[in-house]
Amino acid sequence: ETGVTQTPRHLVMGMTNKKSLKCEQHLGHNAMYWYKQSAKKPLELMFVYSLEERVENNSVPSRFSPECPNSSHLFLHLHTLQPEDSALYLCASSQAPQGNYGYTFGSGTRLTVV
Amino acid sequence: DQQVKQNSPSLSVQEGRISILNCDYTNSMFDYFLWYKKYPAEGPTFLISISSIKDKNEDGRFTVFLNKSAKHLSLHIVPSQPGDSAVYFCAASATGTASKLTFGTGTRLQVTL
């Protein structure tokens, strides 16, 4: 399999649940990212991992917890989310320093918090 | 404070005509700009980019223009095709920011027959 793969594609969870989003890249990139896309808002950067180390946490609430066990995998652990956290969560990877092609994105996980 | 702005949420263009999508930025440290295209239920895909040392970059039907003094860039698609119907995101980055991209809100392009 090639590119950036995200699972699951859709997720519905209650506010007391704990779930995880998974991202896997097969491009040999050394940086991975989590972005949040809400309606009528820009894509919001959540976390940046470069060489498996978190280099940026963009003031994201602690109910979102990232994990990067190796350069090919990235997780986003979710717990006690709020309805306003419902959004499309996009994973991306790149070869840092950034080349001429920017990021390669996955298809995203559509999260609904009920 | 939104550093990358796409003020037109939607645009409708007839097939064969030119589509012009606009983007403004406020951060003078940005030195690399990209356009992404997004279809429903898919992630954004890279379309074209431009470095701040250039004012134009062309790739087939797609051309990006950069006006640094106005902090403005635009994407021209000519001729427009129905398959171009998608949401287009403008993005920018600054050297030394851990490859971080800052995105605009997107413009939905509809190419009609």
Side-chain angles (χ1 to χ4, degrees), chain A residues 9 33 35 37 40-43 45 48 56 88 90 96-103 105-107, chain B residues 2 4 32 34 36 38 41-46 49 89 93 97-105:
Chain A
R9 291 296 303 270
Y33 313 80
Y35 274 83
Q37 186 187 8
K40 297 182 181 177
K41 285 188 174 182
L43 275 74
L45 178 65
V48 179
E56 184 149 345
L88 179 68
L90 289 161
Q98 190 170 273
N100 288 337
Y101 300 100
Y103 298 172
F105 282 91
S107 297
Chain B
Q2 208 170 310
V4 178
Y32 196 70
L34 306 92
Y36 283 81
K38 184 181 184 301
E42 293 183 15
T45 55
F46 170 79
S49 65
F89 290 96
S93 69
T97 57
S99 301
K100 185 176 74 172
L101 288 180
T102 301
F103 285 86
T105 51

Side-chain angles (χ1 to χ4, degrees), chain B residues 5-98:
Chain B
K5 300 177 185 178
Q6 294 177 256
N7 292 318
S8 298
S10 63
L11 175 68
S12 182
V13 172
Q14 206 168 22
E15 182 182 11
R17 300 287 186 105
I18 184 171
S19 296
I20 301 176
L21 296 92
N22 293 303
C23 178
D24 297 293
Y25 62 96
T26 57
N27 188 340
S28 58
M29 299 300 293
F30 287 147
D31 56 6
Y32 196 70
F33 305 89
L34 306 92
W35 285 93
Y36 283 81
K37 177 180 180 179
K38 184 181 184 301
Y39 292 117
E42 293 183 15
T45 55
F46 170 79
L47 190 58
I48 193 169
S49 65
I50 188 167
S51 164
S52 60
I53 61 173
K54 295 185 174 182
D55 54 19
K56 177 183 175 182
N57 188 27
E58 191 172 352
D59 184 2
R61 297 186 297 114
F62 303 91
T63 303
V64 57
F65 295 91
L66 176 62
N67 182 333
K68 288 185 289 293
S69 61
K71 293 191 177 67
H72 177 83
L73 65 156
S74 60
L75 174 67
H76 293 210
I77 306 173
V78 56
S80 301
Q81 299 174 354
D84 296 329
S85 297
V87 177
Y88 289 79
F89 290 96
C90 173
S93 69
T95 302
T97 57

Side-chain angles (χ1 to χ4, degrees), chain A residues 64-85:
Chain A
F64 295 91
S65 174
E67 179 189 1
C68 186
N70 55 61
S71 60
S72 299
H73 294 86
L74 184 66
F75 295 90
L76 187 63
H77 304 299
L78 316 171
H79 65 98
T80 59
L81 294 192
Q82 305 298 311
E84 59 264 29
D85 297 322

